[in-house]
Amino acid sequence: MSAAQDSIGVVVLEPNKQLLDRLCKSAERVWGQHEVLPRQTGKELALAAENLSVGLVLVRASFQRSSVLVQNTLVDMYAAGTQILIVQDTAFRVSESSWMSFAGIHFLSDNSTDEQLIDLLTMTLVRHCMPQLNKLI
């Protein structure tokens, strides 16, 4: 996917090794093995954002993830054109039954199936290839 060495398809931000591996495997199925970069801390995400053009960040929405560094980095990445996929593991979800998207920000319940995750990752890849789809109309 990447046209240059300073770009990557998906950054997966997840400190739990088991979940990180699972999310990376799903992302690799859709985006390609060499397009997925696992990150485990907010500092690693910020470093990746500084040095790479990123197509998608996959992050969990739990309160433990809401550090100022992570929030600011995600906002900066979104402003630069990166899509954000938020796996919702908090009490108040946008939708329990399916994923929802709003101008490059995507929400998926942690109760969703692997098939729903793959479908959403496929849609993000299409939007990455056609960036005009990420804009509000």
Side-chain angles (χ1 to χ4, degrees), residues 12 14 16-24 38-40:
V12 180
E14 175 54 55
N16 177 315
K17 179 74 170 130
Q18 206 171 11
L19 185 54
L20 177 68
D21 290 343
R22 183 172 164 238
L23 293 172
C24 285
R39 300 286 86 180
Q40 295 180 320

Side-chain angles (χ1 to χ4, degrees), residues 7 11 15 17 24 37 40 42 48 52 54 71 77 83 97 100 104 107 122 126 133:
S7 64
V11 172
K17 179 74 170 130
C24 285
L37 181 64
Q40 295 180 320
L52 297 171
V54 178
Q71 289 175 10
M77 293 175 84
Q83 297 177 78
S97 59
M100 302 290 291
F107 300 92
T122 302
V126 170
L133 296 176

Side-chain angles (χ1 to χ4, degrees), residues 2 26-27 53 55 61 71 78 85 97 113 124-125 131:
S2 293
S26 294
S53 172
Q71 289 175 10
Y78 180 73
L85 193 167
S97 59
T113 65
T124 63
L125 178 59

Side-chain angles (χ1 to χ4, degrees), residues 1-2 11 13 18 23 28 32 38 46-47 51 56 59 67-69 71 74-76 80 98-99 107 109 126 136:
M1 270 322 307
S2 293
V11 172
L13 179 63
Q18 206 171 11
L23 293 172
E28 287 171 4
L47 184 62
N51 296 298
L56 172 71
V59 62
S67 73
V68 172
L69 177 61
Q71 289 175 10
L74 290 174
V75 167
D76 291 343
S98 68
W99 49 267
F107 300 92
S109 170
V126 170
L136 287 173

